[in-house]
Amino acid sequence: MGQWSLEGAKLAEKDINATGGINHRRLHLLIDDAQTNPQSAATIFQRFVSVNKFPVVIGFNASSEVMAAAPIANGSHVILFSTGAASPTITGAGPFIFRNRLSGAVEASKMAELAYQRMGLRHGFILYINNEYGQGYADAFRARFSGFGGTIAPTEAFAQDQTDFRAQLQRIQATSPLDFVYLASYEREGGAILRQAAELGISTRWLASNAIEGPDFFRLAGKAADGVLLTVAKYDLLNPATMTFNEEYRQQYHRDSEMFAAHAYDGVRIIAKLIGEVGYDGDTIRSALYRLSDYPGVSGRTSFDKNGDVIKDVAIKLAHNGHFEDVPEEALSPAHR
């Protein structure tokens, strides 16, 4: 995810400078890598604030990174603009926190709605990565699914970078009745979980959060990945602006773009546009972000609510033969489970 975001951001930098920069000044991005580590994120953000004097920091795909840097952002009136973090907890992270990645609460609630109302599922188990991201998705899914009248067994958490999940999977195996497992995970952990579940002979429907989407998931899960459903912010490659971006991305990086690349591209373009319009100050850029309405980004039209959360549509995807395919809601009736 970080590599995709970096590529999208660099492509935006290239395009902005090719058309005159920001008010005839070249844009230069200073890049650093927090490596999905909250303490590193806080350290990097503090340096950007105190040494570089930036009014905006764009990035942090991991929700735990965003939450670690948020107090610094709010205290210094520097905007933290995440292009990848999805945890619902970010909604209340403060007035200088924005993101153009859809909140996980929206995606998890949509999956719960599909599971209960479309697919006829009634009894589930939640398995989640024990951080801001996983906890947020698990809580939102549980609240929505239980609100419909569904039942959720006691949930199981696992650690980031964990590799052996047999203890958690055996507890899933012992749960009855069980219609499905909702998995809130990153791609590496998710892929290993699906493979080990297949090795244990666990046969159930798997629903998942968006962060499993990536090559490591399929590399680790193999054929066990087939049939997994996930919800994710809609990324429409048939949209003319997106098609143009994807073609440029292919020419630069020799593969199709991803949602994370598009979000990072849009993030840099939006901030550059607003700096050009209102200047280089965190408070004035923040006010301009709230006024932004239906910005025609390559990731879709972009506006922000009062919490700095983006407003976008949700798509449903199905894992099949090593990639995720878009699935219409009507294909999720009980007969198609």
Side-chain angles (χ1 to χ4, degrees):
M1 292 185 288
Q3 186 64 35
W4 292 329
S5 297
L6 176 62
E7 291 170 354
K10 295 293 287 183
L11 199 58
E13 177 188 43
K14 175 175 173 285
D15 288 350
I16 289 165
N17 288 332
T19 55
I22 303 174
N23 294 337
H24 307 295
R25 298 183 67 183
R26 288 182 62 81
L27 170 66
H28 174 68
L29 299 178
L30 181 61
I31 309 296
D32 211 327
D33 181 8
Q35 300 180 27
T36 326
N37 182 295
Q39 184 56 53
S40 295
T43 300
I44 290 168
F45 198 95
Q46 184 64 63
R47 185 173 71 252
F48 283 167
V49 169
S50 58
V51 177
N52 302 105
K53 310 295 183 184
F54 292 141
V56 182
V57 176
I58 300 172
F60 296 140
N61 284 339
S63 300
S64 55
E65 294 173 318
V66 172
M67 295 304 292
I72 305 169
N74 293 316
S76 58
H77 288 214
V78 170
I79 294 162
L80 195 171
F81 190 108
S82 174
T83 60
S87 173
T89 58
I90 293 171
T91 296
F96 283 82
I97 312 305
F98 290 79
R99 56 176 163 180
N100 65 344
R101 168 81 181 276
L102 195 65
S103 168
V106 177
E107 295 178 15
S109 297
K110 180 65 173 180
M111 182 61 86
E113 176 186 321
L114 294 169
Y116 192 91
Q117 296 187 323
R118 274 282 180 186
M119 303 170 68
L121 306 179
R122 294 294 182 265
H123 308 287
F125 194 105
I126 297 175
L127 182 60
Y128 67 95
I129 191 167
N130 194 15
N131 60 16
E132 297 281 354
Y133 172 87
Q135 185 71 62
Y137 271 81
D139 289 347
F141 184 93
R142 182 192 300 106
R144 185 68 167 156
F145 191 76
S146 299
F148 285 126
T151 60
I152 296 292
T155 59
E156 285 283 337
F158 58 88
Q160 186 173 330
D161 297 323
Q162 185 173 324
T163 57
D164 186 347
F165 304 91
R166 288 173 176 82
Q168 289 94 341
L169 290 170
Q170 285 166 356
R171 286 189 279 275
I172 290 174
Q173 201 168 33
T175 301
S176 180
L178 183 63
D179 295 332
F180 69 93
V181 176
Y182 181 66
L183 176 63
S185 174
Y186 298 153
E187 59 180 299
R188 287 193 301 272
E189 293 86 350
I193 285 168
L194 265 293
R195 187 189 72 246
Q196 290 171 27
E199 291 169 353
L200 289 171
I202 295 174
S203 179
T204 189
R205 189 67 195 257
W206 290 85
L207 315 177
S209 64
N210 55 44
I212 66 166
E213 187 176 11
D216 280 347
F217 176 70
F218 292 105
R219 179 180 62 81
L220 291 166
K223 291 298 291 182
D226 284 356
V228 175
L229 277 175
L230 64 80
T231 45
V232 66
K234 188 173 183 180
Y235 182 45
D236 184 7
L237 283 170
L238 298 180
N239 173 42
T242 310
M243 290 176 68
T244 301
F245 165 73
N246 192 54
E247 182 57 35
E248 183 181 5
Y249 190 94
R250 285 176 60 86
Q251 291 176 4
Q252 185 76 24
Y253 301 112
H254 312 295
R255 62 182 185 280
D256 282 328
S257 62
E258 301 283 347
M259 176 190 69
F260 290 96
H263 282 162
Y265 182 90
D266 283 346
V268 173
R269 295 300 301 251
I270 287 169
I271 295 302
K273 165 184 162 62
L274 297 184
I275 288 173
E277 292 173 354
V278 304
Y280 204 69
D281 173 77
D283 286 293
T284 54
I285 296 169
R286 171 178 173 265
S287 297
L289 278 168
Y290 281 124
R291 294 194 302 270
L292 191 74
S293 179
D294 283 339
Y295 173 81
V298 300
S299 66
R301 292 197 168 271
T302 300
S303 304
F304 300 98
D305 67 14
K306 64 181 182 180
N307 298 306
D309 281 344
V310 76
I311 303 165
K312 286 186 176 176
D313 295 328
V314 178
I316 310 151
K317 291 188 175 184
L318 174 72
H320 180 65
N321 286 341
H323 65 281
F324 282 98
E325 304 171 348
D326 289 336
V327 178
E329 285 192 32
E330 55 268 25
L332 301 180
S333 64
H336 290 83
R337 286 192 294 174

